[in-house]
């Protein structure tokens, strides 16, 4: 009679199926960091719950945990695994990138009792999860992994697209350098890292070896790239020379999940988002001249995302779900009243380099709002620039595009069309094959 579910900013929660108050189900994370807990499954008997846990959303940072609902004891069952499910064959089935694994599992002792072996190949993985399911009678369904490849595309204000010659990769979060000649971005997957593409020479170079460079952004002088990374430490903010020299330097000590958003134009203040079990996603600022001290800029019970400094540094644009859906707002960077920019939904805010326009996304739509700041702040009604099926990334969290220095083109990410149509594969009597593979140890 209890429902257990994942909640943004609070790990796992539970609520009586008949209704009532939700309660947080405490989950501790490895490395003493803030946990990301997802995909709970209550085990037979109702005494324990399986879940996926990590300190980020990256597949190589996830583990399978179990928590007793009677004693509160928690332990990690599988390192580098996710999306675990218990099968009636008394096995734990879980995913690693591209493959399903299975290991014998004692549901009474909550213990793995034998080695894990691959039981299905070519299974698609996504955000914190693998795309599969199986019935209690042994039918497996999964989406095959055909390779997630994307390309960088210039799109003008009328929607005309021109692909860049950069090789296809699973790109996310492109960021154009201040001089407009290079692009930093994340290439996701196993070994997720920050890469830099130089347009004139058509070269793609990995930036931060040995660390998962996530959501890279340029400093205003173009000399450094800031990113989030787990590396060998808990998830934190780092920066590194943009030419790849030197090593990544940690900017902040944190036990949560900070993600960089935007630098002030003088390069002295970094706006970033961080997660809190009570207030969800909040906006913080880190001042270099204050001993790299971080302080909250906007901390409410709602989710504030994607902070972006205006080109003159006087304003911060962001999105918030305080109205029940994400809308775009602007607030003075020194604090004060806010202005709502969008009215029909919006997120992923990017300022025009001129400071006279604010761009944001509403699903497949790219919108523009004209901005004036003198004598007072005013925003015109947003207008549609173009609409297209360009990658959104992970929803409202961070902008998955950037704008050219002249404000006339947008660097978007588009999925490479697969040669075959999308499919769901069905495997009948899969439990028999699973048992044979585990018994054979291969």
């Amino acid at each position: 009679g209890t429902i257990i579910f994942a909640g943004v900013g609070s790990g796992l929660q539970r609520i009586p199926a008949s209704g009532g108050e939700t309660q947080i189900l405490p989950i501790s994370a490895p490395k003493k960091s803030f946990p990301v807990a997802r995909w709970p499954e209550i085990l037979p008997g109702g005494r324990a719950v399986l879940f996926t846990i990590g300190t980020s959303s990256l597949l190589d940072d996830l583990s399978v945990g179990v928590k007793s609902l009677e004693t509160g004891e928690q332990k990690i069952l599988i390192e580098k695994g996710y999306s675990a499910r218990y099968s009636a064959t008394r096995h734990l089935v879980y995913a690693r990138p591209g493959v399903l694994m299975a290991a014998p599992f004692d549901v009474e002792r909550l213990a793995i009792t034998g080695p894990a072996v691959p039981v299905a190949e070519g299974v698609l993985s996504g955000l914190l999860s693998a795309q599969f399911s199986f019935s209690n009678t042994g039918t497996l369904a999964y989406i095959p992994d055909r390779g997630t490849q994307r390309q960088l595309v210039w799109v003008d204000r009328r929607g005309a697209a021109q692909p860049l010659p950069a090789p296809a990769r699973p790109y996310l979060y492109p960021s154009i350098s201040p001089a407009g000649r290079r692009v930093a971005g994340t290439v996701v997957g196993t070994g997720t890292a920050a890469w830099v593409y130089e347009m004139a020479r058509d070269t793609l170079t990995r930036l931060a070896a040995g660390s998962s460079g996530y959501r890279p952004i340029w400093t205003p002088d173009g000399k450094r790239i800031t990113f989030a990374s787990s590396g060998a430490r808990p998830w934190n903010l780092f920066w590194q020379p943009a030419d790849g020299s030197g090593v990544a330097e940690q900017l902040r000590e944190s036990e949560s999940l900070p993600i960089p958003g935007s630098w002030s134009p003088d390069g002295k203040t970094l706006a970033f988002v961080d997660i809190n079990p009570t207030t969800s996603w909040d906006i913080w600022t880190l001042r270099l001249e204050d001993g790299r001290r971080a302080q909250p800029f906007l901390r409410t019970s709602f989710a504030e995302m994607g902070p972006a400094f205006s080109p003159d540094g006087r304003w911060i644009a962001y999105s918030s779900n305080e109205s029940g859906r994400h809308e775009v707002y602007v607030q003075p960077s020194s604090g004060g009243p806010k202005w709502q920019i969008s009215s029909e939904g919006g997120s992923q805010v990017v300022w025009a380099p001129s400071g006279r326009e604010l761009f944001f996304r509403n699903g497949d739509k790219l919108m523009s709002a004209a901005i004036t700041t003198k004598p007072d702040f005013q925003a015109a009604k947003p207008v549609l620039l173009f609409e297209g099926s360009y990658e959104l990334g992970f929803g409202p969290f961070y902008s998955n595009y950037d704008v050219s220095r002249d404000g006339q083109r947008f660097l978007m990410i588009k999925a490479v069309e697969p040669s075959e149509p999308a499919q769901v594969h069905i495997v009948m009597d899969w439990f028999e094959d699973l048992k044979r593979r585990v018994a054979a140890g291969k």
Side-chain angles (χ1 to χ4, degrees):
T2 297
I3 296 170
I4 296 179
F5 63 97
V8 174
S10 57
L12 300 182
Q13 300 181 53
R14 55 183 168 189
I15 188 172
S18 58
E21 295 293 324
T22 60
Q23 293 181 328
I24 291 178
L25 187 63
I27 300 295
S28 59
K31 304 178 184 177
K32 297 182 180 180
S33 295
F34 187 84
V36 175
R38 293 290 183 269
W39 311 118
E41 181 183 63
I42 299 175
L43 291 171
R47 298 185 301 107
V49 60
L50 279 174
F51 54 89
T52 295
I53 187 170
T55 54
S56 75
S57 301
L58 304 179
L59 297 181
D60 49 3
D61 191 38
L62 302 177
S63 301
V64 174
V66 66
K67 185 179 184 72
S68 170
L69 299 176
E70 295 177 333
T71 67
E73 179 187 1
Q74 175 188 321
K75 61 182 176 180
I76 299 298
L77 296 172
I78 300 290
E79 299 279 358
K80 296 189 180 299
Y82 48 94
S83 294
R85 288 200 59 197
Y86 178 74
S87 112
T89 59
R90 300 182 67 84
H91 294 92
L92 196 66
V93 179
Y94 63 95
R96 284 179 175 158
V99 63
L100 292 186
M101 307 289 293
F105 183 67
D106 188 323
V107 73
E108 285 77 27
R109 294 193 295 120
L110 302 179
I112 301 291
T113 59
V117 300
V119 291
E121 306 283 346
V123 178
L124 178 66
S125 287
L127 176 62
L128 289 168
S129 65
Q131 304 301 314
F132 77 98
S133 183
F134 54 82
S135 70
N136 291 333
T137 56
T139 299
L140 169 70
Y142 69 93
I143 298 176
D145 185 357
R146 295 172 295 168
T148 304
Q149 297 296 330
R150 309 183 184 110
Q151 60 185 162
L152 299 172
V153 181
W154 281 120
V155 184
D156 68 19
R157 298 175 74 96
R158 296 182 179 181
Q162 179 184 3
L164 273 71
R169 296 286 189 274
Y171 296 113
L172 279 178
Y173 308 126
S175 176
I176 302 172
S177 67
R181 295 192 292 266
R182 292 178 291 172
V183 177
T186 298
V187 176
V188 298
T190 302
T192 294
W195 292 68
V196 175
Y197 175 65
E198 189 168 341
M199 287 184 268
R201 297 194 303 126
D202 191 27
T203 57
L204 185 65
T205 307
R206 179 167 177 161
L207 174 70
S211 60
S212 48
Y214 193 70
R215 218 281 170 168
I217 62 171
W218 298 84
T219 54
D221 61 8
K223 293 181 178 180
R224 293 176 179 269
I225 294 175
T226 310
F227 52 90
S229 177
S230 58
R233 294 155 286 202
W235 188 269
N236 262 305
L237 298 174
F238 294 79
W239 68 357
Q240 184 173 350
D243 61 6
S245 64
V247 296
E249 179 188 357
Q250 186 170 324
L251 287 173
R252 178 173 182 253
E253 291 286 346
S254 174
E255 293 184 356
S256 50
L257 194 62
I259 304 289
S262 171
W263 280 99
S264 61
D266 61 8
K268 295 179 179 180
T269 304
L270 173 67
F272 64 96
V273 294
D274 211 344
I275 194 169
N276 181 281
T278 303
T279 59
S280 184
W281 291 96
D282 304 316
I283 296 175
W284 289 65
T285 58
L286 182 149
R287 289 183 54 82
L288 295 182
E289 293 184 343
D290 253 356
R292 299 182 180 177
R293 183 173 64 92
Q295 60 184 15
F297 172 78
L298 193 57
R299 181 167 54 182
T300 72
S301 58
F302 305 106
E304 291 88 24
M305 303 285 190
F309 272 103
S310 62
D312 63 6
R314 296 174 56 201
W315 314 94
I316 291 180
Y318 62 94
S319 69
S320 169
N321 64 353
E322 65 179 71
S323 69
R325 67 180 174 188
H326 272 273
E327 300 283 4
V328 174
Y329 300 87
V330 170
Q331 192 168 332
S333 57
S334 58
K338 65 178 182 290
W339 288 265
Q340 183 172 336
I341 307 301
S342 63
S343 59
E344 298 178 355
S347 61
Q348 299 198 12
V349 188
V350 176
W351 288 89
S354 67
R356 295 192 293 269
E357 272 185 293
L358 196 60
F359 305 111
F360 63 90
R361 300 184 75 174
N362 183 1
D364 285 341
K365 300 175 181 178
L366 186 74
M367 310 294 293
S368 167
I371 302 293
T372 57
T373 59
K374 295 179 181 180
D376 301 308
F377 183 92
Q378 291 186 13
K381 183 179 179 179
V383 296
L384 173 67
L385 290 184
F386 62 84
E387 188 170 358
S389 56
Y390 299 102
E391 293 291 317
L392 286 168
F394 297 147
F397 293 88
Y398 328 104
S399 56
N400 201 31
Y401 69 104
D402 205 355
V403 62
S404 63
R405 301 305 94 181
D406 61 4
Q408 299 303 305
R409 296 190 299 173
F410 302 87
L411 187 59
M412 314 294 290
I413 294 176
K414 189 174 182 63
V416 176
E417 291 296 328
S419 57
E420 299 178 357
Q423 298 176 336
V424 176
H425 286 189
I426 306 294
V427 183
M428 309 298 291
D429 298 322
W430 181 64
F431 280 171
E432 295 304 314
D433 183 57
L434 183 155
K435 288 187 285 188
R436 283 195 299 268
R437 286 177 180 246
V438 174
K442 61 182 180 179

